[in-house]
Amino acid sequence: MTELETLEKWLSESRRAVFFGGAGVSTESGIPDFRSVDGLYNQSYDEPPETIISHSYFEARPEVFFRFYKEKMLWLDAKPNAAHRTLARLEEAGHLAAVVTQNIDGLHQAAGSRTVYELHGSVHRNYCTKCHTFFDARYVKEADGIPLCDVCGGVVKPDVVLYEEPLDPAVVEGAVEMISKADLLMVGGTSLVVYPAAGLLRYYGGDRLVLINKTPTPYDGAADLILSGKIGELLGQIDFEGKDRT
């Protein structure tokens, strides 16, 4: 039995699998990741991306922050790929309990996933820093320079977790609960080097830890199954329709 066939069998047997994913899940939708050869961290800017998308930089130089953010992090025309669509179908079929994602692009929901824990927030939620009026991502994208609230004139901040900012405790708590109760944990498209998000894997106590990635990760030695390659291409081959769930 191949690795893919084993994963297919395990998923068909699962009742509460959880998927934990990172930037690599969306690269096949045309959204660049951070740490690969072509990722944001390996491109040349006057200042490192992790500096520009920090909380202190947002407050000190919002005009530069938003220039970078709108150019490099708002991919509003991107569409879900085979990985997003397969995960949504797995949830619909009753095999997948939740998606835990480090991504901020909203593509899991666009594909149809309903239970999604967004550890780093979402570009699709934006709030005025003064009056808390909500704005969508298109409003931010099309703003001339710094997006300002059309109610009070305050700066509109994306509801994404910047460097120096903590994760939302409620989101983390929900993700931990789902992972701790999972009968299968499938991890894909992530280097598993970003903490505290990567540390969530330690809450999984089962014996079906599946890693799907193009490159090795620090957790490979703990995995029960490893698939190497593009996650969209691999999950797109999963055939779980009509599997016996009795």
Side-chain angles (χ1 to χ4, degrees):
M1 183 178 294
T2 67
E3 288 84 359
L4 190 63
E5 289 171 337
T6 298
L7 175 58
E8 183 179 286
K9 178 178 183 294
W10 286 2
L11 285 170
S12 70
E13 296 169 350
S14 177
R15 303 300 184 271
R16 47 182 199 280
V18 171
F19 176 80
F20 180 96
V25 178
S26 293
T27 54
E28 290 167 88
S29 294
I31 299 178
D33 62 9
F34 285 84
R35 289 175 171 78
S36 69
V37 174
D38 299 319
L40 289 179
Y41 285 179
N42 289 308
Q43 299 180 30
S44 296
Y45 298 100
D46 292 339
E47 295 172 282
E50 60 265 39
T51 296
I52 299 175
I53 54 177
S54 67
H55 180 81
S56 55
Y57 199 97
F58 165 79
E59 292 197 325
R61 303 188 65 188
E63 68 287 344
V64 180
F65 169 88
F66 277 108
R67 189 182 313 134
F68 178 90
Y69 178 78
K70 288 190 279 187
E71 178 184 352
K72 299 299 182 182
M73 300 181 70
L74 278 184
W75 302 87
L76 302 185
D77 295 326
K79 304 297 183 185
N81 61 51
H84 300 105
R85 294 191 297 270
T86 297
L87 292 169
R89 296 203 320 272
L90 282 166
E91 181 184 22
E92 179 66 26
H95 301 296
L96 189 75
V99 168
V100 178
T101 180
Q102 298 176 77
N103 295 342
I104 59 176
D105 50 49
L107 291 182
H108 285 293
Q109 292 92 329
S113 290
R114 297 182 299 276
T115 305
V116 182
Y117 293 88
E118 296 172 307
L119 296 174
H120 296 155
S122 172
V123 300
H124 297 286
R125 298 188 300 269
N126 304 271
Y127 299 94
C128 173
T129 54
K130 289 185 178 180
C131 71
H132 308 295
T133 298
F134 171 86
F135 295 91
D136 62 17
R138 189 66 62 181
Y139 184 91
V140 173
K141 181 78 169 181
E142 296 176 354
D144 184 14
I146 301 171
L148 300 176
C149 176
D150 58 7
V151 176
C152 75
V155 175
V156 176
K157 182 184 183 296
D159 187 19
V160 300
V161 179
L162 305 178
Y163 284 94
E164 305 167 350
E165 293 181 341
L167 302 184
D168 184 324
V171 175
V172 173
E173 182 179 352
V176 166
E177 181 178 6
M178 298 303 290
I179 290 173
S180 65
K181 294 180 178 178
D183 56 11
L184 182 156
L185 180 59
M186 182 166 45
V187 182
T190 172
S191 59
L192 292 175
V193 298
V194 177
Y195 285 80
L200 296 181
L201 269 65
R202 71 177 185 271
Y203 292 99
Y204 177 64
D207 58 1
R208 290 186 170 183
L209 174 60
V210 182
L211 300 185
I212 308 173
N213 213 39
K214 292 191 294 185
T215 57
T217 78
Y219 279 82
D220 283 11
D224 301 292
L225 181 66
I226 297 176
L227 287 80
S228 299
K230 294 181 178 180
I231 188 168
E233 291 182 0
L234 290 168
L235 290 189
Q237 300 176 55
I238 293 293
D239 177 17
F240 56 88
E241 302 293 348
K243 295 289 183 181
D244 183 9
R245 298 180 62 242
T246 60

